[in-house]
Amino acid sequence: MSNAKTVESVMVQGDIYHANFWKVNELSNKYQFDLCNLSEAACEALSNLGIEIKTKDTKPEKGAFITLKSANFPFTVVDTDGVGVDPETRVGNGTRAKMRISAYNWKFKNKTGISPQTNRVIITSLIEYNPEGGDLDEEAV
């Protein structure tokens, strides 16, 4: 008899917002990102794992979303060929990605919960963040 534990997971896709894949978020002190604009099927599958789906009236562009966090390790991010994305890449809001999500139980002080986790983020359509707000190759008038 095997003692192997079966971990339930689901492959989902969505839009990346607030990507802190390789740099710790200053507010949470963790690596984190939001996976947004989840389909109804993705929301149902994630809910079946016990993961809470969020929405914010003040951020309708995010649709239904979850936040993935890692306290100790940066996320592994690859392109559709499995090639690692350069950590210098500035992943902008709306970047499309897919990933296998599982859930884990946690306990901290007197609180408990279930959170989503992923081992690898697959970027399917990259939008590079440009803080100046324009295409550097575009001619200005």
Side-chain angles (χ1 to χ4, degrees):
M1 173 133 336
S2 171
N3 287 333
K5 182 179 177 185
T6 303
V7 176
E8 288 188 52
S9 63
V10 62
M11 182 67 84
V12 297
Q13 63 182 343
D15 298 330
I16 301 294
Y17 275 73
H18 315 295
N20 286 277
F21 295 134
W22 306 290
K23 181 182 174 191
V24 171
N25 178 290
E26 293 175 4
L27 297 176
S28 69
N29 203 30
K30 296 178 181 178
Y31 303 97
Q32 72 177 57
F33 65 95
D34 291 338
L35 183 61
C36 303
N37 296 313
L38 297 168
S39 69
E40 284 185 37
C43 290
E44 182 178 341
L46 292 167
S47 292
N48 287 340
L49 293 177
I51 298 169
E52 178 185 355
I53 308 300
K54 302 180 232 173
T55 59
K56 281 191 176 179
D57 291 339
T58 58
K59 300 283 185 179
E61 69 278 8
K62 292 174 78 171
F65 71 97
I66 60 174
T67 301
L68 291 106
K69 297 180 182 182
S70 173
N72 300 315
F73 303 102
F75 288 96
T76 299
V77 183
V78 300
D79 65 17
T80 55
D81 294 324
V83 176
V85 174
D86 185 338
E88 295 299 316
T89 302
R90 298 178 80 175
V91 178
N93 290 346
T95 291
R96 196 80 178 148
K98 66 180 184 177
M99 64 205 68
R100 183 161 297 285
I101 304 276
S102 59
Y104 69 94
N105 295 307
W106 55 266
K107 182 177 181 180
F108 182 72
K109 297 190 178 180
N110 291 330
K111 293 184 177 184
T112 62
I114 298 173
S115 291
Q117 65 182 3
T118 189
N119 290 329
R120 185 169 73 150
V121 176
I122 304 165
I123 301 290
T124 58
S125 179
L126 176 65
I127 296 174
E128 287 200 51
Y129 173 68
N130 182 352
E132 285 77 34
D135 186 348
L136 297 178
D137 295 331
E138 183 179 349
E139 251 185 70
V141 291

